[in-house]
Structure formats: C-alpha cells, structure tokens
Amino acid sequence: MAAKTAGGGRWEVVKKGRRPGAGGGGRGGGGDRRALGEANGVWKYELTPPIQTTSTLYELGFERIMKKQNKEQVPPPAAVEPKKPGNKKQTKKEATLTNQNQKHSRFRSLEEALKALDVAALQKELDKSQSVFSGNPSVWLKDLASYLNYKLQAPLSEPTLSQHTHDYPYSLVSRELRGTIRGLLAKAVGSLELFFDHCLFTMLQELDKTPGESLHGYRICIQAILQDKPKIATMNLGKFLELLRSHQNRPAKCLTIMWALGQAGFASLTEGLKVWLGIMLPVLGIKSLSPFAIAYLDRLLLMHPNLTKGFGMIGPKDFFPLLDFAYMPNNSLTPSLQEQLCQLYPRLKVLAFGAKPESTLHTYFPSFLSRATPSCPSEMKKELLSSLTECLTVDPLSASVWRQLYPKHLSQSSLLLEHLLRSWERLPKKTWKPLQETIQSFKLTNQELLRKGSCNDQDVATCDKACKGLLQQAWGYRLPWTQLFLLMLIFAIGFLCHDFRSHSSFQASLSGRLLQSSGFLPAGRQACAKLYSYSLQGYSWLVETLPAWGSHLLTVVRPSLQLAWAHLSATVSFLSAHCASHLASLRDSLTSLSQRLQLPDAMNQLLCSLGELLLLLYQNVLLPLWYMLLEALARAQQHCHEACRGEVTWNCMKTQFSEAAHWTWLCLQDITVAFLDWALAMISQQ
C-alpha cells in the first residue's frame, strides 16, 4: 500500500511488517491519518453507526438478547463438505423464518398475552428509562410502546379490527396497566403528538416486513392517547392525507392510517367528523377503502345520537358529494354501500343544515336546484324537490336566490313549480304570500322570454303554465262550506213549511206521501212509539224513586247547606265592607310609591287613573251585581214559599219545574215560528 508523505510530497512504499507509526516523524499512532485529514482540510469526526428513528434503548437491548440466543442455537459444525452458495442462502432464509415464527407465535391470543404481561416489570423499565433520559420524555414513550409491542406478540389481525368492538384492543387492558400508561402520558403531555406519529409510522414500517410484528402495543398506545386528547389526530390532517395518497396502492397501510385517525371520533363527534371529512371522504370512491369509510361513519353516528355536537362541521362543499354518492346510480360505490349511505343520509342532512336552518338553507338552494334536472333518477329527484321545498318554506332568502337563478335554470324550475302545484295544500300558509310574489315575478319573466324567443321556449311554456296554475290556486275561490250548509238547512226547513201549508196537512203533503211510500214514515212511527213507551217507563221510575231519595238527601244536606250559606254571607259582607278601604289604601300606596321613586308625570297620571278605575269598577259593577244576585235568590226563595204555601216539598218543586219547562217550550215555539215566517218572507222576495 502506498501513502504520500506530508512533508516531501513523494510516494513511499509501506511494507507489510512495518508499524503504522514508524514513518511519522516521531509522532504517535494514527499520526498519518490525522495528517491526511488536516491536509484535506476536513474536520475529524468520531463516526458511529446511525441509530434508527424508531429504535429505543429498550429495543437495542432486545436485539442483543436475540443475537445471543441465535448464537447459542447454532448447531455444531458437521463434516467438511464443499460449500454451495444456493444452500447457504436457503439455510439463512429458513433460519430467519424460524426466528420470526418463534417471535410471532409466543401467545395464542391477545388476552393470554395481556394476562402474562408483568406490569411491575414494565414500571421498573419505565422508571429506569426516566432516570437515564430524565429530560427526554419522547424516549420514555417510545420505550413504553416498544415494551408493550414486544410483550404482546399475538396472532396478527386485519388492519381495521372490524370483527371487534370499536375500543379493541384497549378494552382488554387491565385497570393497573391503564393506570401505568395514563400516568406516563400525563408526564409527557408535550410529546404526545410526536409519539402518535411515531406509533403510526412504526406500524407502517412493520407492514413492509414479511411477516412483520403484531401491532397490538402500538394500537393500545394510540387509543390511550386519543381517548383523552382526540384533537391530536386532527391537528394536521393534510399531512396524513398526503401520507394516505402516497400509500394508495397499499390498502393495508391505508386502512391502518384510517383506523388510527378514526379512533379520535369515538371520544368526540366533532373530531370524528373532521377525520371522516378530511381523510375518508376523499378516498370514498376507492374500492378497497370505501367499506371501512362507510362502516366507520355508521358506527360514529350510532355512538353519538346527539347530533347537536356536530352542527357546523358539514357544509355545502362536503354535503353535496355525499348526496351524489348516495343517490347517483353507477358511481364507484357498490349497491350495498350506496344503500347503506342512503340510510345515513337523513342524519347527515340534519348535521349539514345545523341548528339554524332558517338562516343557512339558502346557501344549499343553488346546488339543489342545479341537480334537479328532468333526467336525474326518480329517487334523487324526489329528494331534491323535497329539499328545495324545505328551503323555500324555512329560509325566506331562498325565494330571492331562486329569482336570481330562474332565467338560467328553466328546466329545473319547471320541475320545482310543478311539484309546488301538486303539494300547494300541504305547504304552510305563512309561506303562501312570499311564494305568490315570487311566482308573479316569474310570470313577468316568462312573458319577456316568450316575446324575445329563445331555444328554451318549451321550458318557458312549461314554467308559464305551472305559474298560472299556482296563481289560480293562491287566488282561487274556495267554497264556504259552513255558510253553504246553513243555507241548505234553511232552504229545507222553508220547503217543508211551504209544503205543509199548501196541502193543509202532513199526510196530504208531498213530503208525507214520499215518506209513506218509501217506508220511512211507518218506521219512524214505530220508533217514536217505542221511544214514548221507554220514556213513560223511565218517568214512572223517577216518580217512584226520586221523591224518596230527594227527601233523604235534603234531610242530610240541609244543615250543611245552611251553615255554608251563613259562612258565605258573612264572607261576602266582610269583603264588601273592607274592599273599598283596601282599594283606597292601595291607591294611596301607589301614589306614595310614585312620589318616592320620582316617576315621570305620565306614569303618575297612569297610576292615579288605574286606582280610580279599580274603585269605579268595584262601586259600579261588582257591588250592583252582588246585590242583584242576592235579590234574585231572595225572590226565588219567596216564590217557592208562596207557591208551596209555606212548605217546600218534592211534589211542589216538581210542579214548578213542569210549569217552567212548559213556559220555556212555548217561548221556543214562538221563536221558531217567527224565524220560519222571516225565512219564508225572504225566500218569497227572492
């Protein structure tokens, strides 16, 4: 080997047995290397192997243990044979697979692995990590994840864990282990975002290995972080979307990213909707990712039935792609996924319209209207027309938006006008007037377009016809059914009276002969006879039973009634005696209060007027009414004594009631005859 000397610039041959420092001009070992570095003008560095990003102190320790185990497991050398390169590679491959299978087959299930985990040993390792790296919390967290993932080597599962509950595998963690994990996360709050990224990227790296480690430890750490801090997953969704797109050809990695970010939604509906709209909606058309995206949305809305916490998250930009996916046929979703999305659509619509639809629906109206074409599918057309009607009836600004869009959306407007014409009676009456004004403006626009002439004359004619029908519905005459029924009743009574008078008897009248020939008259007579006989039986029973019961009841109740009457009279006398004084004191109190508060003159005058009004009401209305009632009761009592000759009995009261009923019947007859005469006179004048 040749080397160039630093002083003379000549080449010198270095012999095999010569020591490196012999020709260094008296300088110690390594002098030539140092001189070479100084001559080239390069700083001297102590080069060490680079440490991988995901490696931790705990992982390096495990690597040493595994190397030691591999050395111990090497079989003794066999007989010397010629070496073949192919056999050497095959032997290495088989040894690697054997080690990996041993590594991945430590436990038959995750439950067994968690039961076998020694939490005290984990705490001891974490304490050691905290003492060695006292100022670096990220190393503590990485040691935690590495330890858990190494100890929880169970059979691999599919990336989305769809066959388990939403909180699997964290739901299997014991209370003691949860306390240890949460305690460490609480000590390293500032490093949680980096720790989340570390867990996710390490999981993606393990998916590149064949076969890689099971990822239960990293999944548990991710769920523990997002259960208390769900916003960590949504701080930089753009970064994760780019990561997702970079692995678009690797469905397992994409599903792992979607699963990890989606854990935030189970703690907060707001964060879950952010993840779904920012990560899962952009990849909804991809065949391998769409089932998980829709299943996640279904589970998210099922876990959070109170949708008010998600108001304001979905806007028109996000809502209408969902509408197209749900109702537009032949899109990138399978029919089963499209049907599942249609079932979720009403709740998404509630989330989109928000807490105040009366002020936001006009922003959705243009997109609804542009999609309501005559060629759109029937189910989608039905949903669009229903949503457009809701916009017009809930948000008053939707009508003005429609006026601006009308000339350029004639075909869509014709469908909406015809739908309004069919459902006019079901619309709220408060919306009739603004809709009537809008339709009137459309009618004028239609006339101008027809005069100018254009290629859309057919659509204009359809709109004009629908507008005329709607205006006729709004202005049309409606039959007054109540007045019509009263008029028909009066006409029938007048006809019967005229028929009876002109034929001098009921039997000879046209109505009587018609009833007789049809059989209604004999049936009516038979019914009246039965009713009369039943009435006589009831009357005889009352005559026999009521006097005895009435006398007994009067005997029992009379003392109580007399006492109650005495108390009532005393109470009314007391109130009448003191009410005037109380009203006067109330008026004085109001006057003094107004003087203390120094109210305006108008308020003082109002209070004085109120006091005078109360006093006037008491003196001119309440007192006269009370005296009239007392006088009427006294007259009724005196009349009963006079009619019954001093002794009030049941027979006497029955006679009085009969006379009163007879007098009432005569008055009703007189009133009815007078009314009929007036009706006949009015009909004859017509």
Side-chain angles (χ1 to χ4, degrees), residues 166-174 178-179 181-182 185 192 196 219-233 260-268 271 303-304:
H166 69 278
D167 54 352
Y168 180 89
Y170 192 68
S171 59
L172 303 179
V173 177
S174 63
R178 289 191 185 192
I181 295 172
R182 287 183 176 178
L185 295 180
L192 292 182
F196 175 80
R219 290 181 186 272
I220 289 174
C221 292
I222 286 175
Q223 288 178 323
I225 296 169
L226 298 183
Q227 193 175 51
D228 297 328
K229 305 285 184 181
K231 291 185 178 181
I232 288 178
L261 296 173
Q263 298 304 305
F266 302 129
S268 170
E271 305 305 320
M303 287 189 59
H304 300 281

Side-chain angles (χ1 to χ4, degrees), residues 272-292:
L273 289 174
K274 287 181 181 178
V275 170
W276 198 86
L277 295 173
I279 298 296
M280 302 186 189
L281 180 59
V283 298
L284 190 57
I286 300 177
K287 185 178 180 181
S288 58
L289 307 181
S290 298
F292 175 73

Side-chain angles (χ1 to χ4, degrees), residues 49 51 55-73 99 103 125 128 132-133 143 150:
I51 299 175
S55 299
T56 62
L57 182 65
Y58 197 78
E59 286 177 336
L60 294 175
F62 276 118
E63 287 178 2
R64 296 192 193 101
I65 295 173
M66 292 302 297
K67 289 179 180 178
K68 185 177 180 181
Q69 290 178 354
N70 292 337
K71 289 181 179 179
E72 293 175 354
Q73 293 174 0
N99 292 335
K103 184 178 181 181
E125 293 294 333
K128 185 187 298 183
V132 174
F133 303 99
D143 285 342
Y150 181 80

